[in-house]
Amino acid sequence: MSEQTQLENRLVITLLGHSIDKEKAHIKLVDHYGAKQIKDAYGLTLGKKQAWLFDYAVLVCWNFNQDELSQLIAKIEDLVIEPIHRPSIEHYIYKQTDTDSYYIKDDCLYLDNTDSMTKLALSHAFAQSAKLEFFEEQAQTVINNNAYLSETLAETGMVPLSRKQLAKLRGALFKTSTDINLHFNLLDTPEFFLGQP
């Protein structure tokens, strides 16, 4: 596959932040840029290029090169609530095949068609995966950073923190737990697949 073909068949998944401001997104994306809103996703089509922005601040771009991706992120960054300073980005290459199935092999996605609804369906899966990975990493960081507390408590019977430090730690744990619980619907089948209004 030539370098040009690889650039044309790129799939990029970018986690931008916590969520997006839905009111601002509708005005900016639908009213101003002519995006199509389907349930919790906003679709932008530019020729053969397609991008889907989800309510939970994950952007999935099909066929965008790095400059185009950077320009799109700059255009929508004001919609993102609690942006991540260094967005998490995953890259894949995709190819259309003659088979009747979808599969991933060696970071290449093989599709039996490349129509817009197929891309949206796959974008849902990639976006959910990116967001869940973020929550897993967040929870693991909290666990790793505080593992010493259970060991110290078991050895000494005391926690080496002041009341204020302990309250802050409880707040951080509660925030992590709340974020995960509020986005628990990420494990559910998206409404797009259920045909709900």
Side-chain angles (χ1 to χ4, degrees):
M1 178 181 284
S2 73
E3 187 175 329
Q4 181 63 30
T5 303
Q6 285 185 359
L7 285 176
E8 292 174 354
N9 293 315
R10 282 183 53 181
L11 168 61
V12 182
I13 302 105
T14 309
L15 174 63
L16 300 170
H18 182 273
S19 57
I20 62 169
D21 182 319
K22 294 176 191 176
E23 286 183 33
K24 284 171 77 174
H26 189 83
I27 292 167
K28 186 169 193 172
L29 298 176
V30 176
D31 297 343
H32 185 69
Y33 289 118
K36 182 176 183 179
Q37 183 176 3
I38 301 178
K39 311 289 183 187
D40 63 348
Y42 298 87
L44 292 161
T45 303
L46 307 164
K48 291 185 176 182
K49 301 171 191 310
Q50 194 171 58
W52 292 98
L53 176 64
F54 293 88
D55 286 352
Y56 44 90
V58 177
L59 177 66
V60 180
C61 293
W62 298 80
N63 298 332
F64 279 61
N65 64 36
Q66 189 58 48
D67 288 340
E68 293 165 332
L69 176 64
S70 297
Q71 289 171 12
L72 180 57
I73 290 172
K75 285 180 182 176
I76 62 173
E77 65 187 355
D78 63 320
L79 305 176
V80 180
I81 298 169
E82 294 181 34
I84 296 173
H85 298 295
R86 289 175 36 183
S88 167
I89 300 176
E90 292 180 50
H91 299 270
Y92 293 90
I93 301 297
Y94 71 93
K95 297 179 185 178
Q96 188 168 350
T97 67
D98 296 330
T99 65
D100 289 338
S101 61
Y102 308 99
Y103 60 95
I104 298 175
K105 182 178 179 185
D106 299 325
D107 289 338
C108 184
L109 175 62
Y110 294 88
L111 311 174
D112 70 347
N113 72 72
T114 56
D115 71 52
S116 117
M117 289 298 103
T118 297
K119 288 180 179 175
L120 174 55
L122 292 167
S123 295
H124 270 286
F126 282 112
Q128 285 179 319
S129 177
K131 194 68 172 190
L132 288 171
E133 183 179 344
F134 169 75
F135 285 133
E136 287 174 6
E137 289 173 2
Q138 207 175 28
Q140 193 60 50
T141 299
V142 171
I143 290 166
N144 291 344
N145 290 344
N146 298 291
Y148 75 96
L149 291 174
S150 58
E151 294 168 9
T152 305
L153 184 61
E155 290 173 8
T156 67
M158 297 175 63
V159 176
L161 298 174
S162 68
R163 284 183 182 265
K164 186 174 182 177
Q165 290 171 318
L166 201 51
K168 284 178 149 182
L169 178 58
R170 274 196 299 255
L173 291 170
F174 182 70
K175 182 181 181 326
T176 300
S177 172
T178 301
D179 280 347
I180 292 168
N181 287 333
L182 286 176
H183 288 87
F184 190 72
N185 65 342
L186 286 173
L187 300 175
D188 295 338
T189 302
E191 287 181 10
F192 166 73
F193 296 102
L194 302 175
Q196 297 174 356

